[in-house]
Amino acid sequence: DLVIGGTRVPAGSYTLFTLPTAERAELVINKQTGQWGTEYKPDMDLARVPLTMTALSAPVEQFTIAVENGALVMRWGDRQYSVPVQAAP
């Protein structure tokens, strides 16, 4: 199990979506897996977690996702999105 942005996420398989706007962004943790493209079923959401959004000094042309210093970090374009992640107690 993990704790992502204060939300306990049981061990398993999930699909991650991001919902960025000009003002804020959310990470959607969805229980549906194996779908093709952007088939999204909101009723399958496990959680929606706020992301910290920061501007990048240089644009990133290829989407990247990593775990860095206790955070899930995603970069694309001129934005970085992050959320704390840790093993559940």
Side-chain angles (χ1 to χ4, degrees):
D1 296 356
L2 295 175
V3 176
I4 300 175
T7 299
R8 187 182 190 96
V9 179
S13 296
Y14 300 93
T15 297
L16 301 178
F17 294 97
T18 56
L19 293 174
T21 67
E23 298 81 34
R24 63 188 193 99
E26 288 182 314
L27 176 70
V28 177
I29 304 165
N30 189 276
K31 296 179 277 186
Q32 182 186 16
T33 62
Q35 66 271 34
W36 176 253
T38 58
E39 180 184 331
Y40 170 62
K41 295 184 179 177
D43 60 317
M44 297 291 290
D45 286 355
L46 174 73
R48 288 182 175 217
V49 180
L51 294 167
T52 299
M53 182 171 56
T54 55
L56 294 171
S57 58
V60 174
E61 293 202 24
Q62 182 174 344
F63 175 74
T64 61
I65 185 169
V67 176
E68 300 174 357
N69 302 316
L72 178 67
V73 179
M74 297 162 281
R75 294 179 185 98
W76 190 30
D78 63 352
R79 297 281 181 235
Q80 172 177 292
Y81 305 97
S82 63
V83 63
V85 61
Q86 65 186 40

